[in-house]
Amino acid sequence: MAERSFAKEVEHLKIPAGETFRGEGILAITKALLENGVGYVAGYQGSPISHLMDVLADAQDILNDMGVHFEASASEATAAATLAASVHYPIRGAVTFKSTVGTNVASDALANLASGGVTGGALVIVGEDYGEGSSIMQERSHAFAMKSQIWLLDPRPNLPSMVKAVGDGFALSEASNSPVMLQLRIKSCHLLGEFETKENIPPTMTVKDALENPKRDLARVVLPPASFLHEQEKVTKRLPAAIKYIRNHNLNENFGPEQGKIGIICQGGLYNSVIRALQRLGLANMYGDCDVPLHVLNVTYPLVDDDLLAFAKGKDSILVIEEGHPAYIEQNIRAILHKAGALCAVDGKGPFPEAGELTGTVLLDGISTYLHDAASDLMPPVARAPNAPPVLTMPELTATVPARPPSFCIGCPERPIFAATKLVEEELGPHHIASDIGCHLFSINAPFDIGATTMGYGLGPASASAFNDKTAGRRSISFLGDGGFWHNGLTSSIGNAVFNDNDGVIIIVDNYYSAATGGQDILSSRADNASKSTKHPIKKAVEGMGVKWVRQLDRTYDVGKMQSTLKEALETPETGPKVIIASSECMLNKQRREKPLLKKAVAEGKRTTRTRFGVDEDVCSGDHACIRLSGCPSLSLKTLDDPLRDDPVAHIDQNCVGCGNCGEVADAAVLCPSFYQADLIQSPSRLDRLLDKWRQRLITKLQKSRDAKRLVFSGEHS
């Protein structure tokens, strides 16, 4: 169950030629694939292209009607390997995944694909998750494109340019017999816009046609001596063919005046932000017309020497705006101009940070600095009102606004797993704990502060394998999620642990979905899926790999059970890997499924019950152990009006989803009696009303009895 359904939006994919398509960038890319005769699509979900996979899944019927094969792949490597269908056959294929982590996983398949080359167009759509909002290491796809000779497109962030880039990518791939990478930044994926549609084109050859008419070209198989020839072919044939196509079809664009003493070269994906900075400086308008010559690289690799030399002609200086480190494009441009003997000076990282995201503020400051030094006559005068308030700078903001690290969602079933781990460590002492990619990685932050390393998706136990020392007094603990387990962990982590008789404890966090990427179904999902095979237990797979000590827990909210099971795994005399499968459904997905049903039931006047938890302010001691061992966003502090109680008490707000974790960990920590459960009933039955009246009468009677006793007590001591 993906976090968002595109069932309604995918109907727009049927829009015929000549009409206006309006929608999100992800949907526009899907429409572009169909307009360009794609024959098959595969991929693995991950920000910011998770929704592309969701769109394709919801458009399954449309794809089938056109003879387009779609597959949600087991990993990025699996997806990239499917492009083998374009090696011998003139079939256009596309794969998609998050970069750079997805590119790293897919690197072997992509390198082999680039070596042998392709016959049909092969397009790799990578979601470039870079900058402050990223959840990965800060690297770029550019290095991989250069290494393997995969041409890299970075279109301007608007729907017409992005849609055009899909067609350009396929055509460029076929013209040069090389795979092409289409880079989409997070803003491009989710921006809204419109473009004029073309007719959807069924593939000229389907995978069914290829299967029934197999071909084989030994020259494209990556094996010596062919692989030695591939290296030469990349440079002597494919690269010149790519450069020729890029130049002849004007894939890169020029804006602004043709002549000027300075100019700006920028990546296509940064165009909107660059224009906005120029607009704020009075050098561009809202329509993109600018007073500075601008060369936009919709293809960032390879660069076209002739186009760059033509742009540099007659200019004293050029500013290269490039996001990320190293400055590959700046270095390449410097080499091109130097080799040609051009006298134009080049500035790049000088006015900009060496690394990091080029946000609007960073671009404005960098361009202002460059123009002040290279073309001060273009800089507008800076006027400031005499009574204008001071500008709040970033250092002041960081001192004022508290840090807000990412954390688990309300009711997340993974939180009690780490609460139990903390309680075990309190009893047995600290352990080396290896983390993994996924929601459970939030355990590295407060209040749990668990985890020393994270080395890759599904590699948590693998990263703990170096600590396989049976003479040590403690065992290592490692985590991985169900998504990472099926992606890579089954072999690289579990299989490796079995083969090497690793004595550590492995906890598989099973929340039924690939939850961190948007709630997509996986092999062990317990939901029915019309087009995929689900309900394959992780336990059977682990046992099939040879693990002898396996424990399955189907309710992670039972902190006491989690605690005792983990302690047993750490203390058992049995050797070999100890695997705990901690299973509870992702609360977000559960709420997405249950809330519409609840809303419908309420509208129909049916009896419904919602569970909520609360804290009795009179009983709460202010110990706050519940917060220290839970960290739930719905659990906070409340200051009382009582002058005799200075410490705030625990408080549960209305966002509570009734998971009960706060009460569980409080019980495990200090046996706190202040938590209570309340069931909110809508459209109550006659029995509910009678029980409510009985309870009210009983409560009233008990209150009167208590008050009477107080009066007697006060009289005796007056």
Side-chain angles (χ1 to χ4, degrees), residues 252-565:
N252 297 317
E253 302 173 281
N254 289 324
F255 297 92
E258 292 185 7
Q259 301 299 324
K261 67 176 184 178
I262 59 105
I264 296 176
I265 300 175
C266 71
Q267 295 163 290
L270 294 178
Y271 170 81
N272 289 4
S273 299
V274 171
I275 285 293
R276 175 58 178 155
L278 292 174
Q279 182 184 349
R280 294 179 66 183
L281 292 171
L283 298 175
N285 60 25
M286 62 183 297
Y287 303 105
D289 303 318
C290 57
D291 299 333
V292 179
L294 187 61
H295 186 61
V296 180
L297 298 173
N298 294 314
V299 184
T300 53
Y301 185 79
L303 298 182
V304 181
D305 293 22
D306 291 344
D307 286 353
L308 292 169
L309 292 171
F311 181 75
K313 187 176 181 180
K315 294 182 175 62
D316 297 332
S317 173
I318 287 176
L319 174 65
V320 179
I321 302 178
E322 176 180 9
E323 189 170 58
H325 179 83
Y328 296 117
I329 298 174
E330 177 189 344
Q331 294 167 7
N332 199 344
I333 290 175
R334 286 181 183 275
I336 291 170
L337 297 183
H338 177 75
K339 187 176 181 180
L343 300 178
C344 179
V346 176
D347 201 350
K349 288 296 183 182
F352 295 105
E354 283 292 329
E357 183 180 10
L358 296 184
T359 62
T361 301
V362 172
L363 278 171
L364 178 62
D365 292 343
I367 293 174
S368 298
T369 300
Y370 168 75
L371 292 177
H372 182 272
D373 296 338
S376 57
D377 56 306
L378 292 176
M379 286 292 290
V382 179
R384 183 176 175 81
N387 296 323
V391 178
L392 192 61
T393 63
M394 287 309 295
E396 291 170 331
L397 277 175
T398 56
T400 305
V401 181
R404 187 186 178 189
S407 184
F408 298 100
C409 302
I410 294 173
C412 177
E414 300 183 11
R415 189 178 284 109
I417 299 172
F418 299 104
T421 306
K422 291 292 284 186
L423 292 170
V424 169
E425 282 201 308
E426 185 176 326
E427 182 179 354
L428 302 182
H431 289 67
H432 176 81
I433 298 178
S435 301
D436 206 326
I437 304 298
C439 297
H440 42 87
L441 187 55
F442 292 146
S443 63
I444 66 171
N445 295 321
F448 305 112
D449 301 312
I450 284 176
T453 55
T454 171
M455 300 304 293
Y457 199 26
L459 295 177
S463 66
S465 60
F467 299 92
N468 184 21
D469 188 338
K470 297 180 179 63
T471 64
R474 289 179 186 169
R475 290 169 171 151
S476 67
I477 302 173
S478 57
F479 289 89
L480 77 161
D482 48 351
F485 174 82
W486 293 115
H487 177 277
N488 190 28
L490 178 60
T491 53
S492 297
S493 285
I494 305 299
N496 180 74
V498 172
F499 183 69
N500 290 289
D501 195 31
N502 195 304
D503 200 38
V505 177
I506 299 171
I507 301 175
I508 301 175
V509 182
D510 172 25
N511 53 27
Y512 302 3
Y513 310 95
S514 184
T517 60
Q520 293 82 7
D521 282 334
I522 51 179
L523 273 166
S524 52
S525 295
R526 305 189 185 188
D528 292 321
N529 190 305
S531 60
K532 301 291 183 291
S533 178
T534 55
K535 303 180 181 179
H536 299 281
I538 293 175
K539 186 172 185 289
K540 285 188 176 181
V542 168
E543 291 172 339
M545 292 297 288
V547 179
K548 303 292 191 251
W549 197 101
V550 185
R551 300 290 185 269
Q552 172 78 51
L553 302 180
D554 276 330
R555 184 177 179 272
T556 62
Y557 296 105
D558 189 340
V559 177
K561 182 66 172 177
M562 279 296 314
Q563 183 182 355
S564 62
T565 305

Side-chain angles (χ1 to χ4, degrees), residues 110-259:
L110 289 176
N112 277 278
L113 181 76
S115 182
V118 296
T119 302
L123 191 64
V124 183
I125 304 171
V126 294
E128 193 79 351
D129 189 11
Y130 187 88
E132 187 178 353
S134 174
S135 62
I136 60 170
M137 76 290 287
Q138 297 296 277
E139 292 186 354
R140 302 170 59 191
S141 303
H142 199 101
F144 194 94
M146 293 192 299
K147 175 190 77 70
S148 294
Q149 294 294 283
I150 298 177
W151 321 136
L152 180 60
L153 307 186
D154 187 5
R156 289 191 291 134
N158 62 71
L159 261 54
S161 295
M162 291 158 56
V163 168
K164 179 177 180 295
V166 173
D168 289 337
F170 279 129
L172 174 61
S173 175
E174 291 164 347
S176 60
N177 300 118
S178 301
V180 170
M181 200 176 279
L182 173 60
Q183 175 179 307
L184 295 177
R185 298 155 192 261
I186 191 167
K187 294 177 182 177
S188 300
C189 291
H190 300 301
L191 63 81
L192 298 174
E194 61 182 40
F195 67 95
E196 185 176 333
T197 58
K198 297 179 181 178
E199 204 67 43
N200 291 341
I201 302 174
T204 54
M205 173 181 276
T206 65
V207 290
K208 178 177 179 293
D209 296 333
L211 197 58
E212 294 173 347
N213 299 277
K215 292 183 179 180
R216 177 174 178 270
D217 182 359
L218 188 60
R220 292 208 179 276
V221 179
V222 186
L223 183 72
S227 53
F228 305 139
L229 299 176
H230 295 164
E231 183 183 19
Q232 298 300 319
E233 185 180 319
K234 284 180 179 180
V235 178
T236 60
K237 294 182 179 179
R238 300 183 205 168
L239 179 59
I243 292 174
K244 180 180 179 181
Y245 186 92
I246 294 166
R247 189 177 187 195
N248 290 348
H249 291 82
N250 299 313
L251 299 192
N252 297 317
E253 302 173 281
N254 289 324
F255 297 92
E258 292 185 7
Q259 301 299 324

